[in-house]
């Protein structure tokens, strides 16, 4: 008779993947810790949020990424590549590598930002005064029926402004034009690229992509594929600040362009929505403070020419 086959167990060697695999219990503990930090330490709208039109999956923001770095005691190393483009424009490409407290390399994230991105490349042109005086009916309707008041002076893109003599005239919003000095945004783009690379590196190194997606941009004005001023990718595969599940192209313009609107229409909308606002003395600037979770309000503001002011933490219209 033939002898039964002998099964010889194969011991893991230093070259096999299983030899270096993380213990299952350790893996579960890491996931639980991230979820605990998200629930008990992080705040929605500050450390993470959601992308309008992109489902309910949480988006990791820069402050949240820094919290995870502190949690796991991670150190980072940053490499910067500067690419000079035509007409003074510039692109920054950042590679961020994270290390464990013991010095072990854990992962790398990438991010880029360019002054050719729409929010840095373009600005709204100056307002052009017409010779037409503002009708009395406009002032009568501007608060109770702002939409009708807007129609009286010409519709979207028109507003009421004082001329040099102090008389109210109908004004036309200027066309979008390019900024004349891209260097004004060099530092902003550098910081933005670094942020995008950092978030990408944290997601990669902590295996947290199933909990968070990539930060599209700390500025909500850039969230999602519906941005009016051009999408910003956060990194190599981002849908901003790196690796979202949805791919998008940094320089591709979006389907929504900012539509200028009158002060009266803006005031009417904000009042109806109960959104806190601040109006400058000459009514040339409006600051709006919608709730972070009010995505419809933020989208309306973006579609009507508002820009996010990171310092003032508000939406501004000029």
């Amino acid at each position: 008779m033939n002898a039964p086959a002998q099964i010889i167990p194969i011991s893991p060697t230093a070259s096999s993947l299983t030899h270096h695999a993380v213990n299952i219990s350790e893996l579960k503990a890491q996931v639980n810790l991230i979820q605990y930090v998200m629930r008990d330490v992080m705040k929605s709208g500050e450390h993470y949020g959601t992308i309008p039109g992109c489902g309910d999956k949480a988006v990791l923001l820069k402050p949240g990424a820094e919290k995870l770095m502190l949690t796991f005691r991670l150190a980072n190393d940053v490499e910067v590549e500067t690419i000079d483009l035509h007409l003074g424009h510039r692109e920054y490409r950042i590679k961020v590598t994270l290390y464990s407290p013991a010095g072990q390399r854990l992962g790398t994230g990438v991010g880029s930002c360019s002054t050719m991105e729409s929010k840095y490349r373009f600005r709204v042109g100056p307002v052009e005064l017409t010779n037409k005086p503002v009708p009395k009916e406009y002032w009568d309707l501007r608060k109770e029926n702002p939409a009708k008041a807007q129609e009286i002076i010409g519709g979207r893109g028109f507003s009421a402004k004082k001329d040099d003599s102090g008389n109210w005239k109908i004004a036309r919003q200027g066309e979008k034009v390019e900024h004349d000095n891209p260097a004004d945004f060099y530092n902003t783009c550098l910081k933005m690229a670094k942020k995008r690379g950092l978030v990408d590196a944290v997601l990669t190194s902590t295996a947290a992509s199933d909990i968070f997606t990539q930060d599209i941009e700390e500025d909500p004005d850039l969230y999602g594929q519906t941005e009016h001023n051009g999408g910003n990718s956060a990194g190599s595969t981002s849908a901003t600040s790196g690796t979202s599940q949805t791919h998008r192209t940094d320089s591709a313009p979006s389907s929504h362009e900012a539509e200028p609107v009158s002060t009266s229409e803006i005031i009417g909308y904000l009042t109806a929505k109960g959104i806190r606002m601040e109006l400058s003395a000459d009514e040339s600037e409006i600051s709006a403070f919608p709730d972070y979770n009010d995505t419809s309000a933020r989208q309306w503001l973006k579609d009507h020419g508002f820009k996010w002011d990171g310092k003032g933490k508000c939406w501004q219209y000029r």
Side-chain angles (χ1 to χ4, degrees):
M1 295 181 61
N2 295 329
Q6 183 178 7
I7 299 177
I8 302 176
I10 300 177
S11 300
T13 65
S15 62
S16 70
L17 293 177
T18 55
H19 179 76
H20 300 283
V22 176
N23 183 280
I24 295 299
S25 61
E26 293 179 357
L27 182 60
K28 290 181 178 179
Q30 177 170 317
V31 173
N32 289 338
L33 178 57
I34 295 175
Q35 292 176 335
Y36 178 85
V37 171
M38 180 180 179
R39 184 182 69 246
D40 289 12
V41 179
M42 295 184 180
K43 297 179 181 179
S44 178
E46 180 178 349
H47 301 98
Y48 64 89
T50 56
I51 307 171
C54 296
D56 298 327
K57 189 173 182 180
V59 168
L60 183 63
L61 304 177
K62 181 175 181 285
E66 292 171 342
K67 280 289 185 292
L68 290 180
M69 286 187 63
L70 177 61
T71 298
F72 294 106
R73 305 290 183 181
L74 305 180
N76 70 86
D77 180 64
V78 179
E79 298 179 27
V80 181
E81 179 184 3
T82 303
I83 302 174
D84 289 321
L85 307 174
H86 68 289
L87 300 178
H89 286 281
R90 180 174 291 181
E91 178 183 1
Y92 293 99
R93 296 179 182 177
I94 303 290
K95 182 168 72 172
V96 179
T97 303
L98 296 185
Y99 298 88
S100 71
Q104 178 185 6
R105 180 182 176 278
L106 300 177
T108 299
V110 293
S112 69
C113 187
S114 167
T115 57
M116 287 293 288
E117 294 180 16
S118 295
K119 70 171 299 186
Y120 307 117
R121 182 178 180 181
F122 297 106
R123 62 178 175 82
V124 178
V127 172
E128 301 172 1
L129 289 174
T130 68
N131 292 322
K132 299 179 181 179
V134 179
K136 180 179 180 300
E137 293 79 8
Y138 169 80
W139 303 110
D140 296 336
L141 293 172
R142 62 183 302 220
K143 290 186 177 180
E144 60 185 47
N145 192 345
K148 181 64 177 178
Q150 186 65 36
E151 292 179 6
I152 291 176
I153 62 173
R156 286 184 176 179
F158 291 87
S159 61
K161 298 290 182 182
K162 286 185 178 180
D163 60 16
D164 295 337
S165 300
N167 299 314
W168 287 97
K169 296 294 180 67
I170 296 177
R172 181 186 298 106
Q173 180 61 60
E175 296 293 329
K176 187 169 64 173
V177 297
E178 293 199 30
H179 284 289
D180 55 5
N181 187 17
D184 288 344
F185 299 99
Y186 283 174
N187 186 63
T188 301
C189 290
L190 175 61
K191 299 298 184 183
M192 188 64 66
K194 179 184 176 183
K195 180 188 73 103
R196 295 168 178 175
L198 178 66
V199 175
D200 186 22
V202 169
L203 289 175
T204 300
S205 301
T206 61
S209 292
D210 58 336
I211 302 173
F212 299 102
T213 187
Q214 183 74 26
D215 170 22
I216 287 199
E217 184 47 69
E218 193 168 354
D219 174 358
D221 190 36
L222 302 179
Y223 282 6
Q225 290 281 26
T226 60
E227 302 311 334
H228 66 269
N229 58 357
N232 285 297
S233 170
S236 60
T237 58
S238 165
T240 159
S241 305
T243 49
S244 158
Q245 301 305 314
T246 304
H247 176 77
R248 45 191 301 224
T249 304
D250 282 19
S251 59
S254 69
S255 58
H256 294 269
E257 290 295 331
E259 300 179 47
V261 65
S262 72
T263 299
S264 61
E265 184 176 349
I266 294 171
I267 292 175
Y269 176 84
L270 297 176
T271 302
K273 290 278 291 184
I275 298 173
R276 183 169 69 89
M277 63 180 173
E278 295 179 0
L279 190 64
S280 64
D282 61 355
E283 297 188 347
S284 63
E285 296 185 10
I286 302 176
S287 298
F289 304 83
D291 184 87
Y292 181 84
N293 294 317
D294 192 346
T295 56
S296 63
R298 295 205 313 271
Q299 187 62 56
W300 190 94
L301 295 173
K302 289 186 290 183
D303 288 344
H304 291 77
F306 275 74
K307 301 294 183 182
W308 174 251
D309 178 13
K311 291 183 179 180
K313 300 299 181 184
C314 65
W315 293 87
Q316 287 195 337
Y317 178 85
R318 296 182 176 87

